[in-house]
Amino acid sequence: MEAFEFIVFNVFSLIFLTACEPIIGNVPLYATKTGYDISIETTGRVNNVEKNWLELARSTGASVPEGLENCTPHGVYAVYRHGTRYPSDGDIEDVHNIIDRLRSTDVNPEFQFLRDAVKIPLSNASQLAETGYREMRELAARMANRFPVLFPDSDVDLSRYSFQSTGKTRTIDSARGYIQGVVGEQQICKTNYSERSFTVNCTENDGTQTPTSTTVPHNPIDDDLLLRFYDVFEDCTEAINGGRTDREQDEFRDGPDVGEVWQRVAERLAGPGRGTWNISREEVILLTEICGYDLTLNNDNETWCKLFETQDLYAPEYHSDLKNYWNKAYGFNINYRISCTLANDALKYLQDRVDNPTQSPLGNFKFAHTDTIVPLLAFLDLFDDPLPLLASNFLENINRTFRAAHMSPFAANVAFALYGCTTDSAVTYRVQMLLNESPVQLEFCEGQFCTLDEFQTGIEARIGTCDFTEECAEALQDRTTPNPGGSGADINYSVCLQFLLAYVMLVALSFTGAN
């Protein structure tokens, strides 16, 4: 009997350690402060971006009953996050304060070079960087390469496409960069701005191109139901959230996982045997994001990135993803349901391409924000992990799929491509979704290319009434926190916890038997 108990005890110990020791397969990144190229490189899909749609489909094993060779692109609807921007004014000021402190106090000689770190001018705060402008140009050029039938002429006529941005300067500039990429470098483009739109006029550069222009509308920031729905419903979503985001982030920031990172960084800055340098946990988290900015803005891993080892980056990224989860995605289903207007707009465009192919644009391009992209992906049931993201289950979620760095890096893009697939003179219209230029399988679609009817049924089922009047009025009236939607967001236990309790009981039983 004792031998049996010994075997059971050790087998159970092995199960517990195996189940609860994280096997880290993800490269840590910088959440929404991750550069586009860095993001797609870490997903292993970097080779997808240069392929045309047919090469991409075949390389990913896709097929359709009609045969891919019998399909032709008929239109594309794409939503882009703005390209790489500079940090916000608050973050820039906080980094300036850290640099000033480094210059005025003792610091480990190994890190004294940080005293000479370049201060980003406050005038650059939140503005599109040159890197971001280049990203948008390149994305447009690759879109044209992916769907050459939708960009049939080297002498581009911009009136055949539709563009729309939000009212922020960084999205307006992103749209400008994208339009430059559409027409090519042979055109010189100039922009005229008005209160609710801007017009891009492109003229010939080498004498062979026809001048072309387009007017890009943008709504006021607080009245943009299509692209900034989160601002329109801000009071409602905050009332339903009830401070949950802050509580999760604060608990995690003040817990042991971030604490260990802070300890290591503070000791590095102080130097061996000199205790900890004067830096807060919030500042350590911020500097990991500044490291992300350095990498994408300047390809620089020799300044702020030098402060961190790979293991230091997991917890700060999770801290940021807690905000994305609870404010923008599965923490509360209102977060993503309010993107229904955007989803409906995409569906309407695809149907218009079928019904009115000569009257509708070949491509419809929107330029917005991470707060637009993440809810749309959650609306489509993508990146929904078995466990909710909580302050208390960081290790269980170390290999989660919900990572803003892969969902919505700078210049993130969600595209819905429409194809007409022909057999025996009959045309079946199909839809393919691309996220960051790679195909994505939707759960309501059979295969990578679902029929337009399948797509419409799946989207309309998620849209529902798209009316939140009563729901928001009730939330604003009583300010109570309802049971959140998503993947069981209020569950505060895990498989590992259950193993742990059983493990403790087994230990107790073994000692009882021994006595």
Side-chain angles (χ1 to χ4, degrees):
M1 185 66 181
E2 290 181 359
F4 175 76
E5 289 179 349
F6 176 80
I7 292 171
V8 170
F9 181 85
N10 282 281
V11 169
F12 202 91
S13 299
L14 179 62
I15 293 173
F16 170 71
L17 292 172
T18 302
C20 298
E21 180 67 24
I23 301 173
I24 301 175
N26 284 328
V27 176
L29 294 170
Y30 314 94
T32 58
K33 310 308 187 294
T34 304
Y36 188 76
D37 289 346
I38 295 171
S39 175
I40 62 173
E41 285 169 4
T42 58
T43 63
R45 297 177 176 179
V46 66
N47 293 329
N48 288 347
V49 301
E50 301 294 344
K51 296 174 181 175
N52 65 41
W53 76 269
L54 186 56
E55 294 168 340
L56 183 59
R58 286 174 171 164
S59 70
T60 54
S63 64
V64 296
E66 302 83 6
L68 288 171
E69 66 279 4
N70 296 316
C71 297
T72 302
H74 273 236
V76 62
Y77 185 101
V79 184
Y80 290 87
R81 184 190 176 193
H82 57 77
T84 297
R85 63 164 174 84
Y86 288 101
S88 68
D89 53 359
D91 287 348
I92 289 175
E93 288 176 344
D94 288 343
V95 175
H96 288 185
N97 289 335
I98 294 171
I99 294 173
D100 291 341
R101 208 181 315 147
L102 286 163
R103 292 172 178 175
S104 61
T105 61
D106 289 338
V107 65
N108 183 351
E110 183 181 348
F111 293 101
Q112 284 185 0
F113 68 90
L114 292 174
R115 292 173 172 173
D116 299 321
V118 176
K119 289 185 175 182
I120 298 173
L122 273 171
S123 58
N124 287 356
S126 297
Q127 300 299 304
L128 190 73
E130 177 56 37
T131 300
Y133 194 84
R134 173 185 54 78
E135 288 167 339
M136 304 312 293
R137 284 202 321 266
E138 293 175 353
L139 282 166
R142 293 203 295 264
M143 178 67 81
N145 179 68
R146 187 169 302 114
F147 301 110
V149 71
L150 301 180
F151 299 84
D153 304 314
S154 58
D155 192 0
V156 175
D157 179 3
L158 287 175
S159 69
R160 303 184 71 181
Y161 309 94
S162 174
F163 304 91
Q164 183 175 351
S165 82
T166 71
K168 289 288 189 179
T169 303
R170 57 185 175 273
T171 53
I172 290 172
D173 289 343
S174 292
R176 289 177 49 243
Y178 195 87
I179 291 167
Q180 182 71 70
V182 169
V183 299
E185 296 303 318
Q186 66 272 22
Q187 294 268 16
I188 299 175
C189 298
K190 296 183 179 180
T191 307
N192 297 317
Y193 300 94
S194 60
E195 184 178 358
R196 299 186 64 154
S197 67
F198 61 96
T199 300
V200 180
N201 297 289
C202 300
T203 58
E204 57 188 349
N205 185 22
D206 60 7
T208 61
Q209 302 297 312
T210 304
T212 185
S213 67
T214 185
T215 296
V216 182
H218 55 79
N219 292 320
I221 290 170
D222 58 354
D223 188 26
D224 189 347
L225 187 59
L226 184 65
L227 298 178
R228 292 184 67 96
F229 45 81
Y230 49 90
D231 279 337
V232 175
F233 290 101
E234 183 177 15
D235 289 343
C236 175
T237 55
E238 285 185 355
I240 291 173
N241 185 287
R244 181 65 182 268
T245 304
D246 290 341
R247 291 195 297 274
E248 293 292 341
Q249 281 200 296
D250 290 352
E251 180 183 340
F252 187 65
R253 178 201 62 206
D254 296 336
D257 298 300
V258 172
E260 290 174 5
V261 178
W262 168 82
Q263 185 79 24
R264 290 192 291 267
V265 172
E267 287 178 353
R268 284 179 201 136
L269 284 170
R274 297 176 62 87
T276 57
W277 195 72
N278 179 26
I279 190 170
S280 69
R281 294 182 182 212
E282 291 92 340
E283 289 173 326
V284 169
I285 292 171
L286 170 62
L287 290 181
T288 65
E289 295 183 347
I290 299 302
C291 166
Y293 279 112
D294 277 354
L295 287 171
T296 188
L297 286 171
N298 307 307
N299 195 27
D300 172 18
N301 63 359
E302 295 295 322
T303 306
W304 297 109
C305 292
K306 291 286 282 186
L307 270 177
F308 303 101
E309 302 291 342
T310 298
Q311 64 176 334
D312 300 327
L313 300 175
Y314 289 101
E317 182 186 6
Y318 189 74
H319 180 268
S320 295
D321 277 345
L322 284 170
K323 182 176 181 179
N324 293 305
Y325 184 88
W326 288 97
N327 270 10
K328 305 168 191 173
Y330 296 110
F332 297 90
N333 62 40
I334 188 72
N335 294 337
Y336 55 86
R337 286 166 50 223
I338 57 176
S339 68
C340 57
T341 303
L342 180 58
N344 193 53
D345 192 64
L347 187 59
K348 182 179 182 299
Y349 167 78
L350 297 174
Q351 191 61 55
D352 283 349
R353 286 296 299 156
V354 173
D355 297 338
N356 303 293
T358 61
Q359 302 297 319
S360 53
L362 292 170
N364 195 323
F365 307 108
K366 313 295 186 186
F367 302 90
H369 307 270
T370 191
D371 287 26
T372 314
I373 297 289
V374 173
L376 180 59
L377 296 177
F379 177 89
L380 295 167
D381 291 333
L382 298 170
F383 305 102
D384 188 9
D385 294 291
L387 291 175
L389 271 63
L390 303 169
S392 58
N393 64 2
F394 164 59
L395 289 180
E396 293 104 304
N397 275 318
I398 198 75
N399 291 318
R400 65 195 179 280
T401 63
F402 188 95
R403 298 181 67 201
H406 288 158
M407 300 164 68
S408 187
F410 289 122
N413 47 94
V414 176
F416 302 102
L418 177 71
Y419 301 84
C421 300
T422 306
T423 54
D424 299 327
S425 300
V427 179
T428 299
Y429 289 97
R430 295 186 173 277
V431 179
Q432 176 196 40
M433 178 182 167
L434 301 169
L435 172 62
N436 299 330
E437 304 178 273
S438 286
V440 173
Q441 175 71 54
L442 295 170
E443 68 169 24
F444 51 82
C445 288
E446 288 190 18
Q448 193 181 117
F449 294 79
C450 63
T451 65
L452 180 57
D453 287 342
E454 282 180 318
F455 185 78
Q456 181 174 0
T457 299
I459 294 295
E460 287 180 345
R462 284 155 175 76
I463 289 174
T465 63
C466 203
D467 183 353
F468 308 100
T469 305
E470 292 184 8
E471 183 176 354
C472 289
E474 181 180 347
L476 291 168
Q477 182 178 2
D478 55 32
R479 289 277 173 171
T480 58
T481 305
N483 184 38
S487 54
D490 274 339
I491 297 174
N492 284 299
Y493 59 87
S494 65
V495 173
C496 284
L497 180 57
Q498 295 175 64
F499 269 121
L500 179 60
L501 291 174
Y503 182 85
V504 171
M505 291 175 63
L506 186 60
V507 171
L509 286 172
S510 67
F511 276 109
T512 301
N515 292 328

